[in-house]
Amino acid sequence: MPTYRVRPSKQMAVFGAVFGAVIVIVGLVQMAGSDAGGFVWLWAAFGVAIIAFNLWSAFGRHGHTQTITTDDGDTPPTRVGQTVERER
C-alpha cells in the first residue's frame, strides 16, 4: 500500500507566506491607534502561524499538507500546483 506526501508548490507556499506578512502588517498598522487590546495579539499570532506554516510547507523536508494512502500501485490524482512524493 503506497503512501504519498502532497504539498503545494514552492511558489504557492512562498506567496502564501508573503501574503500572510502583508495581512499582518496592514492589520497591525490599522489597529495601532485603536483600543483593540488582545485582538491585536491574536491577529499577530494567527499571522505568524500562517507565515510559519507556509514556509514549513515550502522548505521543510517533511513539509507536506496531506498524506494519501492508496491500495493500488498507480500514482494518486493531483491538482495543478501540487507536488506528490512517494514515501519510502
Side-chain angles (χ1 to χ4, degrees), residues 3-88:
T3 300
Y4 300 90
R5 295 184 316 227
V6 182
R7 71 168 75 205
S9 67
K10 257 186 199 178
Q11 297 87 355
M12 203 62 200
V14 169
F15 175 76
V18 170
F19 185 73
V22 169
I23 292 294
V24 169
I25 291 169
V26 169
L28 292 179
V29 168
Q30 291 293 323
M31 289 185 269
S34 69
D35 186 25
F39 184 71
V40 174
W41 294 109
L42 187 63
W43 185 274
F46 277 117
V48 168
I50 290 169
I51 294 166
F53 177 75
N54 280 294
L55 291 177
W56 168 75
S57 183
F59 300 111
R61 183 168 181 239
H62 298 288
H64 59 281
T65 57
Q66 298 175 358
T67 301
I68 299 174
T69 303
T70 61
D71 290 333
D72 56 349
D74 297 330
T75 59
T78 61
R79 296 182 188 166
V80 174
Q82 289 182 331
T83 303
V84 178
E85 301 169 352
R86 187 171 183 170
E87 285 187 356
R88 298 184 191 232

